[in-house]
Amino acid sequence: MALITLNQVSLAFGHVPLLDHQDFSLETQERVGLVGRNGTGKSSLLKILAGLEKPDDGLVQTQNGLRQAYVAQEPLLDGDASVFEVTSEGLARAKWVREQYLEHAPGVDLDALQNEIEALDAWNWEQRVEQTLDKLQLDGSTRVGELSGGLKKRVALAQALVSQPDVLLLDEPTNHLDLDAIGWLEELLLGFKGSVVVISHDRAFLDRVTTRTVELDRGRLMSYAGNFSQYQVLKEEQLAQEAVINAKADKLLAQEEIWIRKGVEARRTRAQARIERLSVLRSQRAQRREAVGRVRMEVSSGAPSGKLVAELENASKWFGEGDSRKTIVKNFTATILRGDKVGLIGPNGAGKTTLLKLILGQLEPDEGTVKRGTQMQVAYFDQMRDQLDLDATLEDFISPGSEWVEINGRRTHVKSYLSDFLFSPARAHAPVRTLSGGERNRLLLARLFARPANVLVLDEPTNDLDIDTLELLEGLLAEYEGTVFLVSHDRRFLDNVVTSTIVFEGDGLWREYEGSVQDWLTQAARAQGAVAGSPWGAKTSSGKLGEKTPAAKGQATAAAPAAAPAPSVTPQVKRKLSYKEQRELEALPAQIEALEQEQQQIDQALADGQLYANEPAKAALLSARHGEIEEALMTALERWEQLGGV
């Protein structure tokens, strides 16, 4: 039996239905990833599942005695309370029942209280809290207000898990978590015995955790077996089929509209059924909800900067003096050139922002030297959204005092520019404070890209953005001719954009690695003699995150010189594929496999002679596509051989 069932549920804000008579069921030990565009109603659906909101229509059924725990995107926690006190709020009922029993309040049924105490294990609620905090590596005595955003999210998870729920409902749980914490959360969910429904834009996280993907699209819930990658394949097939069906319907409607305008023939009695069919076609076309448009992005590129962006030689930066001195950057050496796409990776609080300011000239080093390039125009995207003026209108925020935006020498009206980022002209005069989190991020991107710049600094740009917008942003940054500094914990996003990574290695040490996150992990594992666990390196005996053991440091130091004199290594390095060629080589097997599968499907469809008789146009299209695939396969196989794949 399903744990939670939605039957013909509807929900609307204004005239647009977020849920249009939809069904859904959550089974035991399922991990469901809930995806969809910003503003489609994912968070509202999660609150309906949690019982925090009621639908406008339809039935919501939950299994008797079902325990649910909901973790909001931005949890509201008492900053003055301790971690132990906040976590114990997840056992509020157990605490209350035990207190009532011990106080022997008059008129209270002690037998009923005793039964409930045993059912809730209320005698031992303190031990349950302590066990949960220990599992989540939290100090119960710490005041919540002193914690970072990532640790606050961990406390919210502890508050949910302490109740030992059957269903865990998570809204964007990876926001504000660093890579180490995201890996920890993945392991926690994979070991969770109950069912999970999670909203997330982190594609790598969804791939690892989910067993089913449910998309909320245009008021409809559509279920796809498997993780996010499998969903993407199935979704593309569905959209292609939907486009064919809609095109046929539109063509038939156009033909019938021409016929009805002829007049005389349409008034004959035997044509009445055709008139009624036309009415149905018109109704169906009016009710059809088209796929939401895609964001159109273009960066306003300033004049090119000098070839050199920054050259750091043994640069160090610290704050404080004496025993209280904290070193953020120690003896860092690197060269950043125009066009580099650099990812900064490290735990929350490691000093990524300080390092960026050092590179770009907002801070000077306390030791070492930093040489900076010329003609740099820097544009910032701030994860805290400090640049947002909540009282300004969208139009004034993008282009203060003007109705026009100039992108690469081309003038565009600000309303048209906003529409490229999916803001309708009617909303141009709405205040910024009316926007959702994802919409505010889109607005910041719109403002950022409207400013001429040859250096982009993006601090957690992926938070709250939907996956479609993320993929478009990836493509834009990959093609951008200027320099990009990207701070993000989204592994897939970093992998698809950056050409090198600067990684925190503990105790103020930073190191630059060529390639993406996966390349860094591979190189770091080789240098350290294989590291398991935290990507920041091995942990010390004290378990402090980010510090390597002396043995690990020794291995890392010895690894580099040992490899240098080997005569067989040098020629391979010279002949090594470029970064883009390596990425292309890695993608080719999946591309070839997809083409072969599509070709096989077409062969099966064309094998039935009925297709030529019943749908000759479709048969012709499939035949043409078969030829295109054959050419594409030959090209891909030749390229695979050129790059050394065989």
Side-chain angles (χ1 to χ4, degrees), residues 390-404:
L390 298 181
D391 295 320
T393 65
L394 274 61
E395 191 174 62
D396 287 339
F397 182 75
I398 294 296
S399 183
S402 173
E403 294 184 354
W404 301 92

Side-chain angles (χ1 to χ4, degrees), residues 544-559:
K544 186 174 180 182
L545 183 65
E547 293 188 358
K548 296 177 186 170
T549 61
K553 289 183 181 178
Q555 290 168 355
T557 305

Side-chain angles (χ1 to χ4, degrees), residues 32-36 42 45-46 197-200 206 214-216 221:
V32 176
L34 184 57
V35 300
K42 300 187 299 294
L45 173 58
L46 203 66
V197 181
V198 57
I199 298 172
S200 180
L206 289 172
V214 173
E215 182 187 34
L216 179 53
L221 285 173

Side-chain angles (χ1 to χ4, degrees), residues 373-385:
T374 59
Q375 301 178 359
M376 288 198 300
Q377 296 174 283
V378 184
Y380 285 87
F381 179 95
D382 178 18
Q383 66 159 323
M384 302 310 292
R385 306 191 186 114

Side-chain angles (χ1 to χ4, degrees), residues 497-530:
V497 173
V498 302
T499 57
S500 66
T501 53
I502 297 176
V503 181
F504 177 73
E505 298 196 333
D507 195 27
L509 296 174
W510 298 81
R511 181 178 297 182
E512 185 177 14
Y513 292 86
E514 288 299 316
S516 63
V517 176
Q518 193 55 52
D519 297 321
W520 153 56
L521 291 173
T522 302
Q523 294 174 62
R526 288 172 182 165
Q528 296 171 15

Side-chain angles (χ1 to χ4, degrees), residues 463-518:
N463 283 351
D464 302 322
L465 290 182
D466 58 53
I467 291 167
D468 281 350
T469 306
L470 277 181
E471 291 175 345
L472 286 167
L473 181 58
E474 285 173 353
L476 180 76
L477 295 178
E479 297 298 325
Y480 180 57
E481 295 181 354
T483 307
V484 177
F485 293 95
L486 179 59
V487 179
S488 178
H489 301 305
D490 188 321
R491 293 153 291 179
R492 189 73 56 83
F493 186 77
L494 285 166
D495 276 340
N496 291 340
V497 173
V498 302
T499 57
S500 66
T501 53
I502 297 176
V503 181
F504 177 73
E505 298 196 333
D507 195 27
L509 296 174
W510 298 81
R511 181 178 297 182
E512 185 177 14
Y513 292 86
E514 288 299 316
S516 63
V517 176
Q518 193 55 52

Side-chain angles (χ1 to χ4, degrees), residues 205-477:
F205 172 79
L206 289 172
D207 265 347
R208 178 121 195 268
V209 168
T210 58
T211 58
R212 177 161 67 109
T213 302
V214 173
E215 182 187 34
L216 179 53
D217 178 30
R218 291 166 282 170
R220 298 176 298 173
L221 285 173
M222 288 165 286
S223 180
Y224 303 83
N227 62 13
F228 183 78
S229 292
Q230 292 167 308
Y231 147 76
Q232 284 186 303
V233 174
L234 295 171
K235 178 65 176 178
E236 285 298 321
E237 293 175 356
Q238 178 196 320
L239 286 176
Q241 293 170 0
E242 185 177 303
V244 171
I245 292 170
N246 288 342
K248 286 183 178 180
D250 290 343
K251 183 177 180 181
L252 179 58
L253 176 59
Q255 291 172 344
E256 295 303 283
E257 291 286 4
I258 293 171
W259 169 79
I260 196 70
R261 284 169 175 76
K262 292 181 179 178
V264 176
E265 184 181 356
R267 287 195 291 270
R268 295 175 182 169
T269 304
R270 62 175 180 269
Q272 191 61 38
R274 194 170 178 182
I275 295 173
E276 291 174 358
R277 184 179 67 173
L278 173 60
S279 178
V280 172
L281 287 172
R282 286 172 172 171
S283 176
Q284 290 173 344
R285 183 62 184 86
Q287 292 174 10
R288 187 195 305 167
R289 292 180 64 182
E290 303 289 356
V292 181
R294 303 190 76 186
V295 176
R296 293 186 292 275
M297 296 181 180
E298 183 181 0
V299 180
S300 180
S301 301
S305 65
K307 183 176 180 180
L308 177 71
V309 173
E311 185 176 29
L312 298 88
E313 185 71 30
N314 292 322
S316 296
K317 184 66 184 177
W318 58 76
F319 295 100
E321 296 295 337
D323 294 338
S324 62
R325 188 169 88 174
K326 183 178 181 181
T327 302
I328 306 300
V329 180
K330 181 191 292 184
N331 299 329
F332 179 62
T333 298
T335 301
I336 312 296
L337 301 178
R338 181 180 65 226
D340 284 352
K341 312 291 192 300
V342 183
L344 278 80
I345 301 175
N348 293 328
K352 297 185 291 291
T353 301
T354 300
L355 179 57
L356 268 175
K357 290 180 177 179
L358 201 61
I359 293 171
L360 296 174
Q362 296 178 358
L363 288 175
E364 293 300 327
D366 294 312
E367 284 184 355
T369 60
V370 180
K371 180 181 178 182
R372 301 181 183 94
T374 59
Q375 301 178 359
M376 288 198 300
Q377 296 174 283
V378 184
Y380 285 87
F381 179 95
D382 178 18
Q383 66 159 323
M384 302 310 292
R385 306 191 186 114
D386 291 338
Q387 304 166 25
L388 284 172
D389 180 356
L390 298 181
D391 295 320
T393 65
L394 274 61
E395 191 174 62
D396 287 339
F397 182 75
I398 294 296
S399 183
S402 173
E403 294 184 354
W404 301 92
V405 175
E406 188 165 323
I407 307 290
N408 297 326
R410 187 182 69 256
R411 295 184 77 206
T412 303
H413 195 277
V414 65
K415 284 187 173 66
S416 175
Y417 182 69
L418 282 168
S419 69
D420 287 345
F421 288 80
L422 303 185
F423 296 108
S424 66
R427 301 185 69 186
H429 298 289
V432 173
R433 67 175 62 256
T434 62
L435 302 181
S436 67
E439 289 173 328
R440 292 182 186 187
N441 263 20
R442 275 213 314 270
L443 186 69
L444 276 175
L445 287 173
R447 174 172 164 139
L448 177 78
F449 295 157
R451 302 290 186 268
N454 50 40
V455 177
L456 295 181
V457 181
L458 305 176
D459 191 355
E460 292 291 355
T462 63
N463 283 351
D464 302 322
L465 290 182
D466 58 53
I467 291 167
D468 281 350
T469 306
L470 277 181
E471 291 175 345
L472 286 167
L473 181 58
E474 285 173 353
L476 180 76
L477 295 178

